[in-house]
Amino acid sequence: MKVVLSTLNAKYIHTSLAIRFLKSFSEKDFPDIELAEYTIKDPVMNIVSDLFRRKPEVIGFSCYIWNIEETIQVIQMVKKIMPEVKIVLGGPEVSYDTEYWMNRVQDLDFIVMGEGEETFHHLLTEIRGSQKYHFVYGLAYRKGDEVVIMPGRPKLELDKIPTPHRFAEDLPDLSKRIVYFETSRGCPFNCQFCLSSIEVGVRYFDIEQTKSDILYLIDNGAKLIKFVDRTFNIKRDYAMEMFQFLIENHRGCVFQFEITADIMRPEVLDYLAEHAPPGVFRFEIGVQSTNDETNELVKRRQNFAKLTRTVQKVKDSGKIDQHLDLIAGLPMEDYDTFRNTFNDVFALRPEELQLGFLKMLRGTGMRNDAGKYNYIFMDHAPYEILGNDILPFSDLVRIKRVEDVLEKYWNAHRMNHTLEYLITQEFDSAFDFFQSFGDFWEEQGWQKIGHQLEDLFTRLYSFLTSRETQQMDVILGLMKFDYFLNHKYKPRKIWWDFTLEKSEWAAHIKHIAQHPESVSEAFKALGLNEKELQKHAVIEVLPFDLPSLIGEEAPSKKVEQPTLLIVLYQQNDTEKPIYFTMPIHVAETL
């Protein structure tokens, strides 16, 4: 029996873990199972044409809030051209309100609810055999015009699932994709906005098999492995053993984890600070809100003081990038209290701050209690809220403008030094900067058009000058500095007029080549001649003492001794430019 397991991913770079688990569990008895991955951007005709070419008897789709509507379009077209094909849906989006989906999508035949490996295998057995679907626990099916929903089945012993990470067809693309990896299932917490709160308890896969699979993936070229465990560090001993194993065997592969920061033990943090190679680990930390009343209402236990200590200690180590999450629109969080939450978390200066909006996911406590807080939300996925009794749509729209510029500037790391100066010196808070800039961005209509790197700089400059921002000479200097650092190669185009005349620039190049020790010993060690400097160097005069302004202390408004900035590109095979500075009075005496 020919079976195709499919999903529509958000991007080509992701591997779909759920359909691989289904294949690994069933392929012994059903060897003719193929994986077919597409994206939500692929034309429906292209997807259906590919499925038709495979000549399946059963097609299973893995469904989430980000792909359900596109998946339905595919199903409807598939059934028109292949009416005999059995269509099976599974995944979190259809595991709840199952009768609704059976009634809405008349072209589907079955829904596998919840953990799907055993249910799907049993379903295939019945499709091939006696078709007694009333024996299949965890299944929804049609009996004439009636929808039959069977009781759920007990949780599977995870050691019974063969590894889903060793399919030969995955090997050619391992280095180009994010590999999702699951070492456990379940979550110990009960956050009412999250589907993980529905499953009680945490189960682990065999740790030795887990290690073996990770080594196999690394040996075959995996570059980024993202662990999808809800709380990777819930068991201290397990986390320590896995962290140590990954540190000893990473070979350049990067690992991303979801952790709960306020339960991270000090000895684990100390170990990571001492032993973790820089850039190999990434932590994703869900903060969501710092409002105690809100956290209590959504049954989220969180000690923000302990979370802060963990984030700060990880940051101080300089080894691990951190991605912190916020959710706007939680109960009892109005515009002002969310502003406080944003500023509380931004004060930690995470490498990335993800600002999301509450979604009323099917099956969650928040969706069940939506009427209690007068929530209105989208009828179809992703079920994002449109307002509630204290956060109207007008405020949500404003916060979305914050999200827009936050993504373009902070999370993309376009202007780290400039933003730090603006937030600490020119605006009352980080939220106020992003809100003001976001409002200006929309007033200009820029959300309707694309942008290049230069546009991000010129638009920020336009915003700052429009509000008559103080110390624009300092800000412009920092923007120039950030602009140079955002290029891997010497930029051919700039968005301002160079401070130096061509003759001055040439004189500086010549003198620096002849007296490299005046810049620094590190610069001298590069041994660059004048020709190499002309080819690879950018020189600019900044109207302040750059090293003191971007140093450890909070940046000062005071404009001090101007700086000669020297930026080198394509040196020592590095991807990032190297910069050097020297006081302008030293440069003038060369």
Side-chain angles (χ1 to χ4, degrees):
M1 183 167 65
K2 180 67 171 292
V3 180
V4 173
L5 293 171
S6 180
T7 192
L8 278 64
N9 292 318
K11 299 178 180 179
Y12 280 112
I13 61 172
H14 303 117
T15 59
S16 302
L17 185 56
I19 59 176
R20 284 167 171 77
F21 269 117
L22 295 178
K23 177 175 178 175
S24 68
F25 193 83
S26 293
E27 68 174 350
K28 181 179 179 181
D29 297 319
F30 300 91
D32 200 4
I33 297 179
E34 293 182 3
L35 302 178
E37 295 178 275
Y38 312 101
T39 80
I40 56 176
K41 299 295 185 182
D42 288 333
V44 174
M45 180 61 77
N46 291 4
I47 296 173
V48 174
S49 297
D50 186 65
L51 291 172
F52 178 78
R53 175 186 60 80
R54 296 170 185 266
K55 295 181 171 56
E57 296 170 64
V58 178
I59 305 177
F61 292 95
S62 187
C63 302
Y64 304 85
I65 57 172
W66 65 79
N67 71 6
I68 183 63
E69 297 301 326
E70 292 82 1
T71 300
I72 290 172
Q73 294 179 45
V74 172
I75 292 169
Q76 291 170 338
M77 193 178 295
V78 163
K79 273 293 191 178
K80 289 181 185 296
I81 61 173
M82 295 185 286
E84 72 286 354
V85 170
K86 300 294 185 185
I87 301 292
V88 187
L89 300 190
E93 177 56 12
V94 295
S95 289
Y96 308 93
D97 296 343
T98 304
E99 188 168 2
Y100 162 82
W101 290 112
M102 293 292 288
N103 289 328
R104 179 183 167 190
V105 189
Q106 291 293 316
D107 289 320
L108 71 88
D109 299 289
F110 307 99
I111 290 179
V112 170
M113 300 174 291
E115 193 170 58
E117 286 87 359
E118 282 189 317
T119 302
F120 185 69
H121 180 272
H122 193 174
L123 171 61
L124 293 182
T125 302
E126 293 300 329
I127 291 174
R128 186 172 63 180
S130 60
Q131 300 180 14
K132 293 181 178 179
Y133 303 124
H134 59 283
F135 287 158
V136 185
Y137 288 104
L139 182 71
Y141 67 96
R142 300 186 191 280
K143 186 178 181 181
D145 294 332
E146 178 188 2
V147 173
V148 180
I149 299 179
M150 296 297 293
R153 69 172 62 234
K155 297 298 182 186
L156 178 63
E157 293 181 28
L158 299 184
D159 291 347
K160 291 183 177 180
I161 307 177
T163 176
H165 297 292
R166 301 193 182 216
F167 297 132
E169 60 263 40
D170 285 338
L171 296 182
D173 293 326
L174 272 183
S175 64
K176 307 169 192 172
R177 291 189 161 203
I178 298 173
V179 178
Y180 285 103
F181 201 103
E182 191 175 39
T183 73
S184 66
R185 290 183 181 176
C187 181
F189 302 109
N190 196 31
C191 306
Q192 294 298 287
F193 50 80
C194 180
L195 282 173
S196 299
S197 65
I198 298 170
E199 184 176 345
V200 179
V202 180
R203 296 165 292 149
Y204 284 85
F205 289 86
D206 178 74
I207 192 169
E208 295 307 320
Q209 180 64 52
T210 292
K211 291 177 180 178
S212 176
D213 285 343
I214 291 171
L215 287 178
Y216 175 85
L217 292 169
I218 293 173
D219 288 341
N220 284 280
K223 300 300 182 186
L224 174 57
I225 297 176
K226 184 173 182 179
F227 293 93
V228 296
D229 306 72
R230 277 67 165 184
T231 303
F232 192 85
N233 62 312
I234 191 65
K235 287 173 63 175
R236 187 202 74 90
D237 292 344
Y238 180 87
M240 277 290 286
E241 184 173 348
M242 285 301 300
F243 285 145
Q244 183 175 354
F245 169 78
L246 296 173
I247 287 170
E248 292 173 353
N249 296 281
H250 68 89
R251 298 202 290 280
C253 187
V254 175
F255 307 98
Q256 185 167 327
F257 315 86
E258 293 184 30
I259 70 161
T260 300
D262 59 345
I263 64 170
M264 185 73 93
R265 299 287 291 272
E267 58 268 32
V268 177
L269 292 171
D270 290 340
Y271 175 81
L272 292 174
E274 183 176 353
H275 298 286
V280 167
F281 288 168
R282 299 176 186 170
F283 285 169
E284 184 174 342
I285 301 169
V287 183
Q288 320 312 4
S289 175
T290 62
N291 185 351
D292 291 337
E293 184 179 11
T294 293
N295 285 328
E296 185 175 347
L297 286 171
V298 298
K299 299 182 181 179
R300 181 173 180 78
R301 292 176 293 164
Q302 179 170 266
N303 186 321
F304 187 65
K306 288 184 177 179
L307 182 151
T308 298
R309 286 198 292 271
T310 294
V311 171
Q312 193 58 56
K313 187 159 188 175
V314 171
K315 191 173 186 66
D316 290 344
S317 75
K319 304 287 188 66
I320 300 170
D321 283 353
Q322 297 178 98
H323 168 130
L324 272 56
D325 291 333
L326 296 179
I327 297 179
L330 291 169
M332 302 309 295
E333 187 99 280
D334 62 13
Y335 180 85
D336 290 330
T337 59
F338 182 76
R339 175 183 180 273
N340 294 337
T341 283
F342 183 98
N343 286 327
D344 288 342
V345 177
F346 193 88
L348 302 176
R349 297 298 193 272
E351 281 73 24
E352 186 172 354
L353 178 56
Q354 187 73 41
L355 199 174
F357 294 81
L358 179 63
K359 295 171 178 60
M360 294 297 188
L361 303 179
R362 295 180 183 275
T364 61
M366 275 308 311
R367 187 174 178 116
N368 296 334
D369 290 341
K372 188 185 297 186
Y373 306 101
N374 294 319
Y375 277 106
I376 53 175
F377 55 94
M378 299 174 181
D379 292 331
H380 294 131
Y383 314 114
E384 191 171 295
I385 65 164
L386 303 172
N388 63 18
D389 50 5
I390 63 170
L391 190 70
F393 183 70
S394 57
D395 284 345
L396 279 171
V397 169
R398 293 190 68 202
I399 296 173
K400 280 189 174 291
R401 297 173 196 154
V402 173
E403 178 200 24
D404 188 30
V405 292
L406 179 73
E407 283 293 321
K408 288 181 172 68
Y409 287 84
W410 181 261
N411 290 343
H413 296 284
R414 302 296 192 194
M415 303 184 202
N416 289 357
H417 302 94
T418 305
L419 294 192
E420 186 65 33
Y421 182 88
L422 291 171
I423 288 164
T424 56
Q425 300 297 325
E426 298 294 342
F427 289 82
D428 291 338
S429 74
F431 185 88
D432 295 316
F433 163 71
F434 289 113
Q435 184 68 85
S436 297
F437 189 19
D439 292 343
F440 183 83
W441 188 284
E442 182 154 309
E443 288 169 6
Q444 305 305 307
W446 292 334
Q447 77 279 8
K448 301 174 184 177
I449 57 178
H451 60 268
Q452 296 179 339
L453 179 63
E454 289 79 9
D455 297 322
L456 293 175
F457 285 82
T458 57
R459 291 174 186 180
L460 176 60
Y461 189 77
S462 177
F463 162 63
L464 295 173
T465 53
S466 73
R467 62 184 293 275
E468 299 181 352
T469 305
Q470 301 298 306
Q471 300 293 335
M472 280 304 297
D473 53 348
V474 175
I475 295 167
L476 179 58
L478 288 172
M479 290 175 71
K480 292 177 181 179
F481 178 53
D482 283 329
Y483 183 78
F484 287 136
L485 298 186
N486 265 278
H487 289 80
K488 293 181 182 178
Y489 304 100
K490 184 177 177 179
R492 299 177 181 178
K493 177 182 178 183
I494 58 171
W495 50 272
W496 72 93
D497 293 328
F498 265 118
T499 303
L500 292 173
E501 296 290 339
K502 197 168 184 178
S503 58
E504 293 178 283
W505 180 85
H508 281 308
I509 287 283
K510 182 176 182 179
H511 290 146
I512 290 169
Q514 293 175 349
H515 304 280
E517 70 282 353
S518 299
V519 180
S520 72
E521 289 301 315
F523 184 88
K524 180 182 178 181
L526 295 175
L528 301 175
N529 59 38
E530 185 176 344
K531 185 176 180 181
E532 289 171 324
L533 277 174
Q534 288 176 344
K535 183 176 180 181
H536 297 300
V538 172
I539 295 179
E540 176 73 351
V541 174
L542 303 183
F544 48 80
D545 180 9
L546 178 65
S548 66
L549 198 65
I550 64 173
E552 297 280 334
E553 303 298 323
S556 168
K557 283 189 175 185
K558 186 178 180 183
V559 178
E560 299 180 7
Q561 178 65 45
T563 300
L564 189 70
L565 174 67
I566 309 158
V567 185
L568 297 174
Y569 297 88
Q570 295 181 324
Q571 294 296 315
N572 301 331
D573 298 320
T574 182
E575 290 188 352
K576 295 182 179 180
I578 312 167
Y579 76 89
F580 299 88
T581 63
M582 60 190 304
I584 192 66
H585 66 84
V586 173
E588 289 172 343
T589 60
L590 289 178

